[in-house]
Amino acid sequence: QVQLVESGGGSVRPRGSLRLSCVASGGDTAPVNSMAWFRQAPGKGREAVAAIYIGGATTAEADSVRGRFTISHDDAKNTAYLQMNSLKPEDTAMYYCAADRIAWELMPNYANWGQGTQVTVSS
C-alpha cells in the first residue's frame, strides 16, 4: 500500500500561482511508476488534471490546464509536484494526488489516492 500526502493548497487571487506537492511512501513493496493529479469541484465529478510516467518522464495534461499547469517528479524525494500558474476561479477545487505501478495517464484507475488539498481562486 502506498501512502500519499498532499500539501501546498490555499487561497489565491486570479492569475496567481500555487505549487502542490505529493509525497509518496510505502513504495518499497508497491512500486510507483506513475503519479497524477485530479480535482473535484463542489457538485461536480472528479476531473483529471495531469499525469506523469516516472520512468520515462512523459507527461499528460488536461486541455483545460495545458499551458498553465506543469506536473513534475523528484525521484530522490519520491514527490510529485503540480505547478499551477495563471489560476482562474474555475480552477477552484479539491486537488487529489494518485499513484500506481501502472501508467494510467489521465484515467481515474489509480490504486492509491491522497486525502486532497483545497485550492481556492477568488478575488
Side-chain angles (χ1 to χ4, degrees), residues 2-91:
V2 175
Q3 290 78 45
L4 302 172
V5 178
E6 303 101 330
S7 62
S11 296
V12 65
R13 295 184 182 276
R15 297 179 298 280
S17 297
L18 282 174
R19 189 178 80 156
L20 305 183
S21 300
C22 174
V23 180
S25 60
D28 292 344
T29 56
V32 171
N33 294 317
S34 67
M35 296 184 74
W37 290 94
F38 290 76
R39 67 186 181 186
Q40 187 166 17
K44 296 187 177 181
R46 191 166 291 189
E47 174 192 19
V49 176
I52 185 166
Y53 175 57
I54 297 168
T58 56
T59 63
E61 297 83 24
D63 290 344
S64 58
V65 305
R66 187 171 293 116
R68 300 189 297 123
F69 291 11
T70 302
I71 188 170
S72 62
H73 184 267
D74 186 326
D75 293 350
K77 297 181 179 180
N78 291 326
T79 300
Y81 302 97
L82 184 68
Q83 178 66 45
M84 305 186 295
N85 299 326
S86 302
L87 282 160
K88 305 175 181 179
E90 51 264 42
D91 294 320

Side-chain angles (χ1 to χ4, degrees), residues 1-4 30-32 97-101 109-114:
Q1 188 74 16
V2 175
Q3 290 78 45
L4 302 172
V32 171
C97 176
D100 205 320
R101 64 177 181 85
N109 299 347
Y110 291 81
N112 305 285
W113 293 83

